[in-house]
Amino acid sequence: MLIAGIIAICIVLLVLAFLLPRLSRHPQHGVDATLGAGQKGAGSAPGKLGHWLQKPFQSSRKATNKSASAGRQGRGKLPF
């Protein structure tokens, strides 16, 4: 379920960044802050467990940021 949610967020950010590049920054920062809070909370677990629990949040943050960045770059390559 979490994977489907992250995929949906990536698609929404990609489309939003392609259509409205400047206005897509605020939702991207909101998603980044939300996943960052989860990553920080998971990292408070002791030892290696904290590192392992951070991994899904870290990779999700990377995916959403890369998706929004790709949408803006695609918009920038348009001839008009």
Side-chain angles (χ1 to χ4, degrees):
M1 186 69 175
L2 180 66
I3 295 171
I6 295 299
I7 291 171
I9 289 171
C10 285
I11 292 171
V12 168
L13 283 175
L14 178 74
V15 171
L16 187 62
F18 188 77
L19 296 177
L20 304 167
R22 289 185 184 166
L23 295 178
S24 69
R25 296 228 182 244
H26 188 68
Q28 179 188 0
H29 289 303
V31 169
D32 196 38
T34 302
L35 291 173
Q39 183 178 359
K40 185 178 178 182
S44 66
K48 283 284 189 186
L49 181 63
H51 182 68
W52 291 334
L53 290 176
Q54 278 184 336
K55 283 284 211 180
F57 292 103
Q58 182 180 10
S59 60
S60 297
R61 285 177 73 186
K62 283 183 185 178
T64 55
N65 289 334
K66 187 182 260 190
S67 175
S69 175
R72 284 187 211 101
Q73 285 179 352
R75 173 65 181 247
K77 291 182 181 181
L78 286 178
F80 50 90

